[in-house]
Amino acid sequence: GWMAGQPIESREPPKNIYQNLFFYGRCAMSLALLCLSFAVTFVAIFERKTTVWESVPPVASVVIFFLLMGCIGILEGSQIAYFAVVKMQKSEQGQDGSMGYFAKKSARILFSNNNHNLAAFLVGRQLCVVSCMFFIARITAVKLEPDDDNIFGVPDWMQSIFNTGLLGAVIVAVVASVSWRLLASAFPIVFFKNPLAYVFLRLCLILEMTGILHGAWVIAFVIKKVTGVKRDEFYIGTAEERAAESMEDDNGRAAGHLIAALDVGDNPPIQSFDGMDDEEDTQDPDAEAGCPTNAFPIDCSK
């Protein structure tokens, strides 16, 4: 919440003392493990006990390490944000420019052509993340020569755990992945209109065009045919239809009819809330006073 500049409001009831101890105890354990992972990794980098190339100086390794984690974080957060925005109505996606230039460009790229570019982004994003992971693994993987001392003088069994690269994976999971996903799930619009997210969107689409991971399209098609899965819109309708149903429920009319299969983003919005304030301003003053407005006029002054 602090990074997004917005408060986080929880809908859960207040925790009792035992729940707080259990929760914050796990947080402390995780932070302790994260600090240990950073300490071991930095010592290994500056003592040149990692698998990084000899020509890369330690300071450059640290800078590249954090830059690559930042790239992964933006990609992770963008994925969560895009899946949150795709379920919104068109009037809420920023395609009209109401949320800024980059939100408008991102929406028009992602949600056109039956959302094909959203799927293409996922393919390119995975290739980009795997590439970042490869270089991070080279930087953080601990490798000792036969005559090297163990890091921090730990026993051999603990050093063997350090040598597995597990500590680097902990850093990437906590700092570069999960934290950004949690932030994006709470504030998807912040990521959606971010210019860096737009730059990475373009980069991922270019990587997808290379065709390196196009086998995923074939496998996904086979799985779809075998399982017979359908789009969510087949069961719950589009965001515009759900908004229309909500309005029908509020007005006392029948709702809940079966929704046929639809393609996301092809149809214009059925219901938009942008003009509701104008409609309220133009209501009949007699209706506001509680007078019936039907075909049989009644003098309300009596």
Side-chain angles (χ1 to χ4, degrees), residues 103-237:
K104 176 182 178 181
K105 296 290 289 184
S106 297
R108 292 190 174 182
I109 292 173
L110 287 167
F111 308 137
S112 62
N113 191 21
N114 195 26
N115 294 342
H116 173 79
N117 284 339
L118 177 58
F121 162 78
L122 297 179
V123 177
R125 169 203 163 276
Q126 194 63 36
L127 181 57
C128 190
V129 168
V130 169
S131 301
C132 293
M133 292 286 192
F134 170 77
F135 288 104
I136 288 177
R138 294 283 303 192
I139 293 172
T140 60
V142 179
K143 181 182 178 181
L144 299 183
E145 298 297 334
D147 56 344
D148 287 339
D149 295 331
N150 292 345
I151 297 176
F152 296 138
V154 298
D156 291 340
W157 65 267
M158 185 173 291
Q159 182 61 52
S160 63
I161 296 177
F162 295 168
N163 296 343
T164 62
L166 179 62
L167 299 184
V170 170
I171 295 175
V172 173
V174 176
V175 178
S177 180
V178 179
S179 58
W180 292 81
R181 284 175 169 267
L182 293 175
L183 186 64
S185 65
F187 310 106
I189 301 300
V190 174
F191 278 85
F192 188 70
K193 63 182 182 181
N194 191 291
L196 286 177
Y198 174 73
V199 172
F200 277 96
L201 168 61
R202 288 288 195 178
L203 174 62
C204 291
L205 292 179
I206 293 174
L207 291 175
E208 190 273 340
M209 289 175 59
T210 62
I212 297 175
L213 298 183
H214 272 201
W217 292 103
V218 179
I219 296 175
F221 176 79
V222 172
I223 294 175
K224 176 185 176 182
K225 290 298 183 182
V226 171
T227 60
V229 295
K230 299 182 182 298
R231 290 177 175 269
D232 291 345
E233 287 72 25
F234 177 82
Y235 304 101
I236 62 176

Side-chain angles (χ1 to χ4, degrees), residues 8-296:
I8 297 179
E9 298 180 1
S10 176
R11 296 184 180 181
E12 297 182 356
K15 298 182 177 67
N16 58 40
I17 185 172
Y18 301 105
Q19 291 173 326
N20 281 326
L21 286 175
F22 183 59
F23 174 76
Y24 289 110
R26 289 179 296 165
C27 290
M29 179 270 296
S30 178
L31 287 176
L33 179 59
L34 181 63
C35 291
L36 174 64
S37 301
F38 269 117
V40 172
T41 300
F42 285 163
V43 169
I45 290 175
F46 283 100
E47 292 184 356
R48 294 186 175 274
K49 295 180 179 179
T50 65
T51 58
V52 71
W53 297 276
E54 291 291 337
S55 59
V56 181
V59 175
S61 297
V62 173
V63 172
I64 295 172
F65 178 37
F66 279 100
L67 286 177
L68 292 178
M69 285 201 299
C71 294
I72 294 175
I74 293 174
L75 291 169
E76 296 281 6
S78 298
Q79 178 185 7
I80 299 298
Y82 294 160
F83 274 103
V85 175
V86 74
K87 299 300 181 182
M88 297 180 180
Q89 299 182 63
K90 279 189 174 182
S91 60
E92 300 171 333
Q93 292 176 344
Q95 297 192 34
D96 56 354
S98 59
M99 292 192 298
Y101 174 80
F102 292 103
K104 176 182 178 181
K105 296 290 289 184
S106 297
R108 292 190 174 182
I109 292 173
L110 287 167
F111 308 137
S112 62
N113 191 21
N114 195 26
N115 294 342
H116 173 79
N117 284 339
L118 177 58
F121 162 78
L122 297 179
V123 177
R125 169 203 163 276
Q126 194 63 36
L127 181 57
C128 190
V129 168
V130 169
S131 301
C132 293
M133 292 286 192
F134 170 77
F135 288 104
I136 288 177
R138 294 283 303 192
I139 293 172
T140 60
V142 179
K143 181 182 178 181
L144 299 183
E145 298 297 334
D147 56 344
D148 287 339
D149 295 331
N150 292 345
I151 297 176
F152 296 138
V154 298
D156 291 340
W157 65 267
M158 185 173 291
Q159 182 61 52
S160 63
I161 296 177
F162 295 168
N163 296 343
T164 62
L166 179 62
L167 299 184
V170 170
I171 295 175
V172 173
V174 176
V175 178
S177 180
V178 179
S179 58
W180 292 81
R181 284 175 169 267
L182 293 175
L183 186 64
S185 65
F187 310 106
I189 301 300
V190 174
F191 278 85
F192 188 70
K193 63 182 182 181
N194 191 291
L196 286 177
Y198 174 73
V199 172
F200 277 96
L201 168 61
R202 288 288 195 178
L203 174 62
C204 291
L205 292 179
I206 293 174
L207 291 175
E208 190 273 340
M209 289 175 59
T210 62
I212 297 175
L213 298 183
H214 272 201
W217 292 103
V218 179
I219 296 175
F221 176 79
V222 172
I223 294 175
K224 176 185 176 182
K225 290 298 183 182
V226 171
T227 60
V229 295
K230 299 182 182 298
R231 290 177 175 269
D232 291 345
E233 287 72 25
F234 177 82
Y235 304 101
I236 62 176
T238 63
E240 288 78 14
E241 288 185 325
R242 294 195 298 273
E245 281 193 7
S246 177
M247 295 294 293
E248 290 177 0
D249 289 338
D250 293 340
N251 294 331
R253 291 191 288 255
H257 57 278
L258 181 63
I259 301 172
L262 294 171
D263 287 333
V264 183
D266 286 346
N267 297 327
I270 298 175
Q271 174 66 48
S272 175
F273 298 96
D274 297 336
M276 290 185 67
D277 295 336
D278 298 335
E279 294 177 3
E280 293 176 356
D281 295 338
T282 58
Q283 280 186 331
D284 190 343
D286 289 339
E288 294 181 358
C291 300
T293 55
N294 49 32
F296 302 97

